[in-house]
Amino acid sequence: MTYAGRRSSKRSKPPAAVPADEHGTGTTVTHRPAAEAVLRERNAFLETIITSSGDGLVVFDRDLRMTVWNPAMEEMIGLTADQVLGRWPGDVLPEAMAAKLEQTLSGVMETGDSQWREFALTGSRSGPSGWARALYRPHRDTSGQIVGVVATVRDITPKHEGEKFLRGQVRFVQELLEAIPSPIVAKDRDGRVMLCNTAYAAGNFGLAREAVLGKTSHELGQPEADMHIEHDREAMQNGMPEVYEADRFLADGTVRRQIVVKAPLRSQSGEITGTVTASQDITEKHAVEQALRQSEERFRTLFDFASDAIFIHDIGGRFLEVNRTACERLGYSRDELLTMSPTEISPPEFAALVAEREDALADVGASFFETAHVRKDGTVVPVEVSATIIDLDGHRAVLNIARDISERRGAEADRTALEGQLRAAQKMEAIGRLAGGVAHDFNNLLTAIHGFAELHLAEHPPGDPGRADVLEIERAAERATQLTMGLLAFSRRADAHPTPLDLAAIVRDAMALLRRLVGEDIVVRLEADAEVPLVLADPVQIEQVLLNLAANARDAMPTGGTLGIAVRRSVLTRTFVRSHAGAHAGLHALLEVSDTGVGMDATTQTHLFEPFFTTKPSGEGTGLGLASVYGIVKQADGYIDVQSRLGRGSVVSAYLPAFEGAASAAQVEHSAIPANRGGSETILLVEDEPAVRLFAQRVLQQHGYRVLAFGDPVVALDAAIRDPTSYDALVTDVIMPVLSGPTLAERIIATRPGLPVLFMSGYEAGALPAGAPPPLAKPFSSRDLADAVGALFRRAG
């Protein structure tokens, strides 16, 4: 062989003897030349491999002498084969290097284990800074015995230098990252930290850099970790940077605002292997922007939601800005208004004044005037405008603040109308007081007329010629009584027994009577809602309202027509109440009576509810029908309204407030009281009207009572106090001069506790003390008086 290992005969050994077979015979000499030829061929092949190998190859024998040294080793170490073959490392290598090498070789032969070593090259092509890496493996003979060491050596100077450079670069990068105050972190695809700076580790978590390496955001307890992980995922998925703002929660508990940039991290092949994140503190900038944004939002809110319309326009040109109120008031969108000018939203009579006002405004800087705006639908809205010259981006513009004064104009009209309504209400109130007073006096007179006629009638048996005259007196008194009842109803002083009522049921029950009342040539139609609230009213009075309205409607349709009656649920709004004096807001039951008759003019409607006002010929009506309807509705705290036009019929609407108490209430009980046969008790009678006093005295005396009669309540009180045991009951009028009936009763009862008391009243039932029994209403008959006094003693007993 001619490879480097054959250059010295010192390491050559004679060929090994060929062993004999088990029978003691050896290989014949005839085969030796062929075997040597094969051996030579194999050795040549091995030498070719050894000499052409790019890696260095060294073989050490058992004594650690070098027996093979190929050209690659010569190039690496700088020593030729002749210089090293057959020698020990210490002969040719530096002492320190040789010592380490011999230690490694001895270890391999002793343990039989291969070992890797890196060492510096001292004379190679790379100079003193070169590096090599060697693999030392045990060299065994055919029997497995270690006979040396084979070392394969590779020059790793470029790799070593690259790693050194890379380590330097990493160190440089880390130092660079440390110099950056903003947090920076690189993560792998699983979100684990591969690299970061102290600003990230210590700033966010209060940890050293080494403590966060390999950890995920969740493991580090990072606030809002899910949000950041989602941005990591999107950056890796899209291959594009993610930029967003987020709060940074520092380890010391403070919170800073930052802008975060996440970019995909790629390998040399372009594969995305993770993300790198950098953030910048923008707390101060964010605070300024927030304050500016809030200021702008406040301004925009104030601008947009101002109760007045705001327009900004250049002089002689179009609108530059408008607020939401302006858009809503005029019915245009903002984009539409920004293509328009002030003249386009002004009526023709005001549009001509726009330029003139702008010229005047340029001189004085501000002005205040009334004008009008035209809505998109053509509606004209009166406005009050405050105009000011302002500077807008270096240009002069006009700021107009327009206030809708429709309500003010409407309020002025409403005030005028309300003043008229107030005057009408005051007139009706004055008429009511007058009617009540007249009814009181009439009731006293009618009590006497009716009473004495009744007494006188008892003296004229049937067939007596004088009986007919007395009956006429009674009939006239009865008609007069109906008149006073109408006056009392109008003045809201009629005796009423309110109870929760189903208005629809009252109307349905009265339908048969109504049809007979209006006649066959009038069609009656009823409409009733399914759910109408209960009302608190007197059922007799409500029926009277219905009959009076139906009779009026009948008289308005002399040739026939349609009478409509509707019962509905109705809610009166505050807007309705403002324009209808006397109405109250809230839930009501509505009784509506309409006709298709002749209708009424405005003058007639203004006097409609006045007592004795009528459009009928003389002798055909009293004029108290609608007056009593008015009084009954008002007494029930309701509101009545009339709508009518000549030739178009009329609609009368009575609104009665919904009953807010229990769904059912006790009905008024009317128990029949048997005629009193009289008694022997003494009655203290006090009545300031002589005729009534005399009638009552005679009736009571006819029924066996003793009567102490007084016309002056003060004198009656003195007599009662002087002798409290001289009477058994008190019968007194309610309204009397100086001392009223209730006051008189109170003072007498103070000296005579438990005394039975019967009040007589022309209308003032409301003046009675709480808990007092209903009064005996005037006019009353002799039987009414006798029954009431008899019942008085039965209650007392």
Side-chain angles (χ1 to χ4, degrees):
M1 296 179 66
T2 59
Y3 58 89
R6 291 290 183 177
R7 296 180 184 177
S8 175
S9 59
K10 291 174 63 177
R11 56 180 172 79
S12 301
K13 292 185 179 181
V18 179
D21 60 22
E22 60 178 330
H23 298 290
T25 60
T27 305
T28 60
V29 177
T30 306
H31 296 99
R32 183 172 296 172
E36 290 179 350
V38 171
L39 183 60
R40 282 195 300 274
E41 184 178 350
R42 185 182 64 180
N43 289 341
F45 176 71
L46 291 175
E47 183 175 3
T48 300
I49 293 175
I50 292 172
T51 56
S52 62
S53 173
D55 291 335
L57 184 64
V58 185
V59 179
F60 299 87
D61 62 14
R62 191 184 299 274
D63 296 329
L64 304 185
R65 287 180 297 185
M66 294 173 279
T67 61
V68 175
W69 186 271
N70 73 346
M73 286 299 298
E74 290 181 350
E75 186 176 357
M76 259 189 280
I77 304 301
L79 298 173
T80 65
D82 292 337
Q83 292 175 307
V84 299
L85 290 178
R87 296 188 179 188
W88 289 277
D91 295 339
V92 295
L93 297 176
E95 182 177 353
M97 184 178 179
K100 290 182 180 180
L101 177 58
E102 290 179 356
Q103 182 180 4
T104 300
L105 295 173
S106 297
V108 172
M109 286 194 292
E110 287 176 4
T111 63
D113 296 328
S114 300
Q115 294 187 21
W116 286 95
R117 291 289 185 274
E118 287 187 8
F119 57 90
L121 299 175
T122 57
S124 68
R125 65 172 184 271
S126 303
S129 60
W131 283 86
R133 191 181 191 204
L135 174 60
Y136 299 94
R137 292 173 294 184
H139 180 206
R140 301 176 186 274
D141 60 14
T142 56
S143 63
Q145 295 295 318
I146 296 177
V147 296
V149 176
V150 177
T152 304
V153 183
R154 177 168 293 178
D155 189 343
I156 60 169
T157 300
K159 177 177 178 293
H160 190 274
E161 290 300 317
E163 291 175 350
K164 180 180 178 182
F165 176 77
L166 183 60
R167 284 192 296 271
Q169 288 295 101
V170 170
R171 188 166 49 253
F172 171 75
V173 169
Q174 188 65 59
E175 290 173 355
L176 181 62
L177 292 179
E178 290 301 306
I180 297 174
S182 300
I184 299 176
V185 59
K187 301 176 185 177
D188 62 17
R189 292 193 67 89
D190 295 328
R192 298 192 176 276
V193 177
M194 298 187 298
L195 180 71
C196 69
N197 62 357
T198 301
Y200 175 82
N204 288 3
F205 310 108
L207 301 173
R209 285 188 299 106
E210 293 75 12
V212 303
L213 296 178
K215 303 287 181 60
T216 65
S217 297
H218 283 303
E219 291 171 348
L220 290 169
Q222 183 179 19
E224 300 183 345
D226 290 336
M227 177 188 69
H228 296 293
I229 291 172
E230 178 62 21
H231 282 292
D232 283 331
R233 186 191 65 77
E234 291 180 359
M236 290 188 291
Q237 179 176 316
N238 301 328
M240 298 291 292
E242 287 283 315
V243 181
Y244 60 97
E245 287 188 18
D247 287 330
R248 181 187 177 198
F249 299 85
L250 301 182
D252 61 6
T254 59
V255 180
R256 306 287 291 178
R257 192 68 176 178
Q258 61 181 356
I259 185 167
V260 183
V261 181
K262 287 185 179 291
L265 190 63
R266 301 179 185 272
S267 66
Q268 290 184 348
S269 64
E271 178 186 1
I272 295 177
T273 59
T275 58
V276 60
T277 303
S279 60
Q280 182 179 355
D281 192 302
I282 58 169
T283 303
E284 285 72 22
K285 177 186 175 185
H286 178 72
V288 172
E289 290 176 347
Q290 283 287 93
L292 180 60
R293 184 160 46 248
Q294 291 173 358
S295 176
E296 290 175 348
E297 288 175 355
R298 283 195 296 270
F299 168 77
R300 193 76 217 182
T301 299
L302 291 173
F303 182 77
D304 269 340
F305 293 95
S307 59
D308 296 328
I310 302 176
F311 306 86
I312 301 176
H313 64 86
D314 53 14
I315 296 178
R318 298 189 176 277
F319 291 119
L320 304 174
E321 187 58 271
V322 294
N323 70 347
R324 181 179 299 182
T325 304
C327 299
E328 292 174 350
R329 291 266 177 88
L330 297 182
Y332 292 100
S333 69
R334 179 174 178 273
D335 292 338
E336 287 175 322
L337 279 176
L338 293 182
T339 64
M340 301 170 68
S341 66
T343 57
E344 294 177 80
I345 64 168
S346 301
E349 63 271 22
F350 291 109
L353 301 175
V354 172
E356 180 182 335
R357 284 182 177 139
E358 286 185 352
D359 292 340
L361 186 63
D363 295 333
V364 299
S367 64
F368 187 82
F369 54 90
E370 287 190 7
T371 181
H373 287 161
V374 182
R375 289 176 48 84
K376 189 175 183 178
D377 61 7
T379 306
V380 177
V381 181
V383 293
E384 187 177 72
V385 178
S386 172
T388 308
I389 294 289
I390 63 171
D391 182 83
L392 187 66
D393 296 331
H395 300 283
R396 293 180 55 167
V398 179
L399 170 66
N400 285 327
I401 302 176
R403 175 165 296 174
D404 186 340
I405 57 175
S406 301
E407 288 190 4
R408 185 200 301 170
R409 295 278 178 85
E412 292 171 353
D414 289 345
R415 184 172 62 250
T416 301
L418 286 173
E419 288 173 353
Q421 292 174 355
L422 178 60
R423 285 192 294 271
Q426 289 172 338
K427 180 182 72 172
M428 296 296 282
E429 185 64 27
I431 294 173
R433 286 196 297 270
L434 174 62
V438 169
H440 174 262
D441 291 340
F442 264 65
N443 276 336
N444 279 330
L445 294 174
L446 288 171
T447 301
I449 294 171
H450 193 282
F452 282 110
E454 183 183 9
L455 294 176
H456 192 55
L457 189 62
E459 299 175 1
H460 295 274
D464 189 324
R467 185 178 179 85
D469 295 336
V470 179
L471 287 174
E472 282 301 322
I473 295 173
E474 275 201 327
R475 279 193 287 269
E478 186 63 35
R479 287 196 297 272
T481 299
Q482 295 300 319
L483 288 175
T484 59
M485 288 177 62
L487 288 173
L488 287 175
F490 170 76
S491 63
R492 287 170 271 170
R493 294 170 179 174
D495 190 19
H497 301 282
T499 185
L501 296 178
D502 182 346
L503 193 58
I506 294 287
V507 174
R508 280 193 291 268
D509 291 344
M511 286 305 294
L513 179 60
L514 286 177
R515 287 190 171 92
R516 289 195 298 272
L517 174 68
V518 299
E520 296 180 354
D521 56 347
I522 294 178
V523 177
V524 181
R525 291 179 178 170
L526 171 64
E527 296 179 12
D529 288 351
E531 294 184 2
V532 179
L534 298 178
V535 298
L536 189 64
D538 186 317
V540 176
Q541 288 187 337
I542 295 300
E543 189 174 83
Q544 182 182 349
V545 167
L546 182 61
L547 293 176
N548 281 341
L549 293 179
N552 257 42
R554 175 202 61 197
D555 296 340
M557 298 182 288
T559 60
T562 300
L563 170 65
I565 301 175
V567 181
R568 299 190 180 96
R569 181 181 187 273
S570 179
V571 177
L572 299 187
T573 64
R574 295 188 182 277
T575 302
F576 182 90
V577 169
R578 280 197 296 270
S579 59
H580 294 77
H584 301 286
L587 180 62
H588 287 69
L590 167 63
L591 172 61
E592 187 176 84
V593 178
S594 61
D595 64 66
T596 56
V598 295
M600 295 176 284
D601 58 23
T603 302
T604 300
Q605 292 181 56
T606 59
H607 300 285
L608 195 59
F609 297 121
E610 294 177 7
F612 307 113
F613 175 80
T614 180
T615 58
K616 297 175 183 178
S618 178
E620 292 188 14
T622 63
L624 286 174
L626 287 179
S628 64
V629 167
Y630 175 87
I632 291 169
V633 172
K634 288 294 183 181
Q635 191 169 15
D637 202 24
Y639 175 76
I640 190 165
D641 182 53
V642 178
Q643 300 293 327
S644 182
R645 292 176 61 186
L646 283 174
R648 302 292 295 272
S650 304
V651 179
V652 180
S653 303
Y655 299 89
L656 300 176
F659 175 62
E660 298 180 352
S664 61
Q667 299 297 315
V668 177
E669 296 181 359
H670 302 280
S671 58
I673 302 175
N676 182 64
R677 297 302 179 184
S680 59
E681 293 88 355
T682 299
I683 306 299
L684 179 60
L685 174 65
V686 186
E687 168 62 65
D688 64 318
E689 180 62 40
V692 176
R693 183 172 68 252
L694 179 58
F695 165 65
Q697 182 176 2
R698 286 185 58 180
V699 169
L700 294 175
Q701 286 173 341
Q702 286 178 358
H703 282 75
Y705 297 104
R706 290 180 63 251
V707 179
L708 301 176
F710 294 91
D712 188 336
V714 176
V715 175
L717 177 62
D718 290 340
I721 294 176
R722 281 197 307 271
D723 190 0
T725 62
S726 62
Y727 48 89
D728 301 297
L730 171 65
V731 177
T732 179
D733 190 16
V734 174
I735 301 300
M736 294 182 295
V738 183
L739 201 63
S740 70
T743 303
L744 173 65
E746 181 182 359
R747 295 184 181 179
I748 292 176
I749 290 173
T751 60
R752 178 73 186 277
L755 178 71
V757 178
L758 174 65
F759 292 105
M760 301 178 295
S761 174
Y763 64 89
E764 290 289 352
L768 297 179
L776 178 61
K778 297 177 182 179
F780 51 80
S781 67
S782 59
R783 178 169 177 173
D784 291 336
L785 178 59
D787 288 346
V789 173
L792 185 68
F793 285 113
R794 282 192 292 276
R795 284 198 300 273

